[in-house]
Amino acid sequence: MHDTACTPTPLLDIEIRLFLEGVFQQYHYDFRQYSMASLRRRMTLAMERHGCETLSVLQSRVLREPALFAQMLQYFTVQVSDMFRDPGYFRALRDAVVPMLQTYPSIKVWVAGCSTGEEVWSLAILLHEAGLLDRSLVYATDINAQSLKAAEAGIYPIERAARFSRNYLQAGGTASLSDYYTAGYEAIVFDRALKQHIVFADHSLATDHVFSEMHLVSCRNVLIYFDRGLQDRAVGLFRDALVPRGFLGLGSKETLRFGAHEHAFEPWRADERIYRRRA
């Protein structure tokens, strides 16, 4: 079944579109503009996991079983993250964005598609080390309730700590990452003092409106799973959310080039996909 389902066919694509329409009508989650290539792979995995020979069979179960739909969110949303993932990005924030943020009396940051929270905690630490966290508010959003719960808890397996620490140091960390967490029971738990400046909230880039007056929006490795229309919608939300000359950070494989809002931004650190909204 795996080989057949992974092969693009008109019937499979029809089933996917019907499935997404059903999910939207039943649960009000809109995945209809996600990349079809990515959806083919993910729906194949879901069919195998739940023992369904066709996507239509899986659709019938999902529409009738809310608990199964909650499990399905892991296939619609990408839950791959790391503390200080792509350290060069965070070093560029320290060097080229933080000096600009320091000119504001208060700072708002939006991490869109925060997954299980590694980037949120990373940014909170970066802002703390820049002396900005006390006057910052970080909004962390995702459509996956389970991921948001994990992000808010700030608890990660202890075997990930070594990689987190390496990334932190490569990103220009000025202390030891262990200063920011407590270890025990095979897990690390990040400092609750950091959490005081973070707001976790459900938000869909496909259907919801914007937060306002943001100074930095970080949405990394999310747009690559959208089709062009949804990419343009999301970047339009970021443009509207940012203050004039506010900053937008994208993933290493993402770009504003050829998009509908390309001219609303200027490259700031193009090598690390950091842009600045034009005034």
Side-chain angles (χ1 to χ4, degrees), residues 6-275:
C6 281
T7 302
T9 66
L11 180 57
L12 177 61
D13 287 1
I14 290 170
E15 285 190 305
I16 290 174
R17 283 191 283 269
L18 290 172
F19 190 8
L20 301 183
E21 184 64 34
V23 165
F24 177 67
Q25 295 294 333
Q26 179 74 344
Y27 297 108
H28 310 293
Y29 280 78
D30 194 349
F31 303 104
R32 294 173 298 178
Q33 290 182 276
Y34 277 43
S35 163
M36 186 61 74
S38 176
L39 286 168
R40 290 188 195 108
R41 293 191 299 270
R42 294 178 177 280
M43 292 303 95
T44 297
L45 291 174
M47 289 158 58
E48 293 176 348
R49 167 67 178 80
H50 296 288
C52 297
E53 285 297 321
T54 68
L55 193 56
S56 296
V57 173
L58 181 60
Q59 174 185 325
S60 179
R61 289 188 56 193
V62 166
L63 296 184
R64 289 169 172 80
E65 302 175 31
L68 180 56
F69 171 69
Q71 296 177 38
M72 281 294 299
L73 281 174
Q74 68 179 301
Y75 297 101
F76 289 120
T77 58
V78 181
Q79 308 302 318
V80 178
S81 191
D82 232 340
M83 292 287 295
F84 296 93
R85 182 183 182 184
D86 301 324
Y89 173 79
F90 288 91
R91 185 177 284 276
L93 290 179
R94 289 181 188 271
D95 295 342
V97 175
V98 162
M100 303 296 105
L101 297 181
Q102 288 171 332
T103 65
Y104 294 100
S106 62
I107 301 159
K108 288 184 180 181
V109 176
W110 178 16
V111 183
C114 71
S115 184
T116 47
E118 290 89 340
E119 181 168 339
V120 177
W121 293 100
S122 301
L123 281 171
I125 291 169
L126 185 153
L127 291 167
H128 169 76
E129 293 185 350
L132 296 177
L133 188 59
D134 286 343
R135 51 187 164 116
S136 297
L137 189 59
V138 181
Y139 292 87
T141 67
D142 204 276
I143 62 170
N144 189 324
Q146 291 180 331
S147 294
L148 275 176
K149 185 176 181 180
E152 188 167 6
I155 302 173
Y156 303 100
I158 198 166
E159 58 264 24
R160 301 182 68 190
R163 185 169 69 253
F164 287 177
S165 294
R166 286 195 299 271
N167 288 350
Y168 165 77
L169 292 174
Q170 293 172 13
T174 59
S176 170
L177 187 64
S178 61
D179 293 342
Y180 300 105
Y181 65 75
T182 302
Y185 302 102
E186 302 301 317
I188 58 175
V189 183
F190 278 90
D191 192 342
R192 301 299 92 180
L194 298 172
K195 186 179 175 181
Q196 294 176 8
H197 302 275
I198 306 173
V199 175
F200 295 90
D202 179 276
H203 183 275
S204 170
L205 293 172
T207 57
D208 291 334
H209 298 296
V210 299
F211 296 86
S212 62
E213 299 298 307
M214 294 292 144
H215 301 89
L216 168 65
V217 173
S218 189
C219 182
R220 305 176 63 229
N221 307 303
V222 174
L223 298 183
I224 54 175
Y225 298 102
F226 295 171
D227 70 11
R228 175 50 61 85
L230 188 51
Q231 288 177 3
D232 287 341
R233 184 187 196 278
V235 174
L237 291 180
F238 303 150
R239 178 204 61 201
D240 294 343
L242 285 166
V243 299
R245 304 188 72 75
F247 295 93
L248 171 63
L250 301 179
S252 60
K253 296 180 180 179
E254 297 166 332
T255 180
L256 296 181
R257 291 187 65 192
F258 312 116
H261 307 289
E262 175 183 4
H263 299 296
F265 295 88
E266 59 182 330
W268 189 251
R269 279 290 302 271
D271 57 328
E272 295 296 343
R273 300 298 193 267
I274 298 174
Y275 302 87

